[in-house]
Amino acid sequence: MVLDRITPPKVRPIATFDIPFPEERVLRNGMPLRIIEAGTEEVVRLDVVVRGGRMSVLQPFVALLANRMLREGSLHYAPSAIAEKLDYYGASVELSVSLKHEYVTLYALNKYFPQSLAIVADFLRHPTFPERELRTVIETNKQYFRIMEEKVSTISQKNINRMLFGDRHPLGYNAELEDFDRIDVDLLKDYYQKHYHSDNCTLYVSGRVTPQIVSCIEEYVGNESWGERSLKFVAPAYPIETARGKHCFIERKEAVQSALKMGFLTIPCRHSDYAKFRVLVVLLGGYFGSRLMKNIREKKGYTYGIEAILSPVSDESVFLISTEAANEHVPAILREVGREIDRLCEMNVGQKELEIVKNYMLGDFSRSFEGPFSSTDAWIYVETNGLDADYYRRMIEEIHSVDRYDILRLAQTYLCKENLIEVVAGEKL
């Protein structure tokens, strides 16, 4: 058979696609287990999702370091033994923290899953938080913090967070280098006890999941209750105190470029308009062919890239436009962003332009379910944002149904440039 390398494949709109739903079980100790069995490779991923995260405590770095210190020593394994044994079995562990959750993720070969999980279960259930390793981890994080604090992108992001949420909110409080010195072993142990127990976790397992894999999970983390279950975690409520001022400039002498952030708080992801509003945000600045990219990058040449995103945060979402550009171009970028918002509020978008955006978003959704691991990420997103199992089906239906009149209505309702808080970090002209 001779391959046809001249005729391109036909472009077809995505009408629908299958969304693999996880199989839900409850382990003997009451922990929920979501199973996504797919794929042909003998590889398994196990996610432990812990309720907590950055918004569970006002003091900076506590959630981060408690999570990071898990693999720095356990009841039966020294730090070096944890690393060496996981490497020997071809496994890897990722530790991460988000706004309201923490994650322990294990990637392991089916052949050595029991041995790999035994190690992870030991440091998950019996971490020791050794003082020496904590000092090393803190010094490493301090070095990274110092480097990031010099970047104008970090400075602008921290300051727009402060203006959006206020100093008394975990997202608005600007951490300082000295905050690392306020961390000690007792503080991390206390945080661990309040959050890391079998009543406060959900498990996800994906990949080539066999009955033996499920039995292994039950044996190591699901047979009996573990942790300080009497300490029920209740997510604290923090006041949001958005600044009244709309402009902030932070001078960084000799900065080659300025970082620009523009944003405001808007509707949560559970709002009935959220899905269609996402289409509007993508059209404005959410992909390479967006209006902001075509105008400010391609036509004007002010920047290499500019984007607009809609990010869910608790009971709100953050609408944010971000870019970096030469200092002298910042005033012009601000004007052009305003003009693009005005265009969306005053004129209907073209049908062809809207169809391109809808097809892009549907393609992006389909990639979220192209494999077991990406499907896991999609369902973890649903759980950690308090959404229901029908969320993705509704999103797809809303993207299909949105029309140019919806876009105009949403722009006039939610996309008000007078609400934008502008933060610029760079050299003063």
Side-chain angles (χ1 to χ4, degrees), residues 60 211 247 379:
H247 308 280
W379 288 114

Side-chain angles (χ1 to χ4, degrees), residues 134-146:
L134 175 58
R135 293 301 117 199
T136 301
V137 169
I138 286 178
E139 285 304 314
T140 301
N141 279 270
K142 275 185 172 182
Q143 292 295 332
Y144 179 76
F145 186 85
R146 290 188 185 98

Side-chain angles (χ1 to χ4, degrees), residues 154-371:
T154 302
I155 296 168
S156 61
Q157 185 64 60
K158 289 177 67 171
N159 279 275
I160 198 165
N161 285 346
R162 176 181 57 80
M163 295 186 73
L164 288 173
F165 294 98
D167 293 331
R168 295 195 294 163
H169 194 283
L171 297 183
Y173 176 79
N174 282 343
E176 304 293 342
L177 189 65
E178 292 74 20
D179 287 318
F180 283 107
D181 300 325
R182 300 184 180 97
I183 303 293
D184 58 35
V185 169
D186 291 337
L187 189 63
L188 299 187
K189 285 183 176 179
D190 180 68
Y191 182 88
Y192 169 84
Q193 289 176 347
K194 290 178 180 177
H195 296 83
Y196 287 81
H197 56 80
S198 55
D199 284 358
N200 198 45
C201 298
T202 302
L203 302 178
Y204 286 79
V205 61
S206 53
R208 192 72 166 160
V209 183
T210 63
Q212 292 76 20
I213 294 292
V214 176
S215 297
C216 184
I217 294 171
E218 186 96 52
E219 177 185 353
Y220 283 106
V221 294
N223 248 338
E224 59 185 14
S225 299
W226 50 271
E228 297 291 337
R229 297 170 58 234
S230 61
L231 300 173
K232 301 294 184 183
F233 169 63
V234 178
Y238 296 100
I240 294 178
E241 300 168 334
T242 302
R244 293 183 179 180
K246 300 297 183 183
H247 308 280
C248 176
F249 176 77
I250 306 96
E251 184 175 3
R252 300 298 292 182
K253 293 182 178 180
E254 299 181 0
V256 177
Q257 286 190 318
S258 291
L260 169 63
K261 306 284 184 183
M262 308 171 68
F264 52 73
L265 298 179
T266 186
I267 55 176
C269 56
R270 294 179 292 277
H271 194 282
S272 58
D273 278 338
Y274 183 81
K276 292 182 178 180
F277 186 41
R278 276 193 64 183
V279 178
L280 169 60
V281 173
V282 172
L283 189 150
L284 174 64
Y287 76 118
F288 197 77
S290 69
R291 290 194 172 187
L292 291 179
M293 285 289 283
K294 285 182 176 178
N295 181 355
I296 296 172
R297 180 188 189 274
E298 296 180 15
K299 185 177 179 181
K300 301 294 193 307
Y302 291 151
T303 180
Y304 182 76
I306 183 169
E307 67 170 353
I309 63 169
L310 193 60
S311 179
V313 178
S314 191
D315 294 328
E316 291 82 20
S317 293
V318 175
F319 169 76
L320 188 66
I321 297 172
S322 304
T323 191
E324 291 186 36
N327 302 314
E328 62 268 21
H329 293 322
V330 170
I333 292 174
L334 292 170
R335 287 195 301 271
E336 292 303 321
V337 168
R339 287 172 182 168
E340 291 300 337
I341 291 175
D342 285 340
R343 285 180 61 206
L344 287 169
C345 292
E346 295 168 0
M347 300 169 55
N348 279 318
V349 302
Q351 188 60 37
K352 182 178 180 181
E353 180 184 16
L354 182 57
E355 287 302 320
I356 291 173
V357 172
K358 291 165 68 171
N359 287 335
Y360 167 81
M361 293 185 69
L362 290 168
D364 200 42
F365 264 115
S366 67
R367 284 191 294 274
S368 297
F369 297 97
E370 64 183 0

